[in-house]
Amino acid sequence: MTVQFGLYDVVDGERRLCGVAVFGAPVSTAVLTKPLPEFRPYTESLLCSRFVLLDECPGNSESWFLANCLKHLLARGVHGVVSFADPVPRRTASGVLVMPGHVGTIYAATNAVYAGRATARTVKLLPDGTVFHSGVRAGSVGTLTV
């Protein structure tokens, strides 16, 4: 099961997408069963794979949007969600900060339980500070429908 949510703002009568949350299946079942062994993976537990809001959204929008997503997921029978925070800042080769890192503040604000660190891994960065994912192949394309 994959569930997507969009957060919209209405400005001058026009609806504008300003946030997206995507919950679904991780690469490995263990991502769900290790922290949430009591829930059936892919139906009662999901991974929060994307969560993004525009910077101009008002304060507390993230935790408000997340809480509403979780409420709707619970109504669909999802009792557990796994999410990952990444506290490591990312910089370009010239030292410009492109991603300050995050520690999961919105998850704590919605009463999430910290279940420990994920498996350690080495992350390769491109000169512009973006992460090079070893699973990406030439010509591969991803799409998101909201």
Side-chain angles (χ1 to χ4, degrees):
M1 167 180 8
T2 301
V3 184
Q4 304 98 11
F5 297 97
L7 179 65
Y8 292 87
D9 190 13
V10 178
V11 178
D12 297 328
E14 281 195 45
R15 221 171 91 157
R16 183 176 73 110
L17 182 65
C18 57
V20 173
V22 180
F23 300 86
V27 174
S28 166
T29 306
V31 171
L32 299 172
T33 57
K34 185 176 178 184
L36 303 169
E38 65 275 20
F39 301 130
R40 241 179 343 184
Y42 312 127
T43 55
E44 294 180 328
S45 62
L46 297 173
L47 173 72
C48 178
S49 56
R50 293 289 180 267
F51 190 90
V52 62
L53 271 67
L54 296 177
D55 287 339
E56 60 259 24
C57 289
N60 298 326
S61 293
E62 291 91 349
S63 55
W64 180 87
F65 182 41
L66 179 60
N68 279 278
C69 291
L70 296 175
K71 180 176 78 173
H72 287 287
L73 287 171
L74 183 59
R76 294 176 181 217
V78 177
H79 297 283
V81 171
V82 173
S83 187
F84 293 92
D86 185 359
V88 180
R90 304 278 191 263
R91 296 182 180 276
T92 65
S94 62
V96 175
L97 184 68
V98 292
M99 201 279 282
H102 59 91
V103 294
T105 303
I106 64 166
Y107 305 115
T110 54
N111 294 321
V113 175
Y114 177 71
R117 294 187 55 131
T119 304
R121 63 187 172 96
T122 300
V123 176
K124 297 175 186 172
L125 298 179
L126 297 172
D128 67 356
T130 58
V131 175
F132 174 76
H133 296 283
S134 59
V136 174
R137 305 277 186 266
S140 65
V141 177
T143 59
L144 174 64
T145 304
V146 194

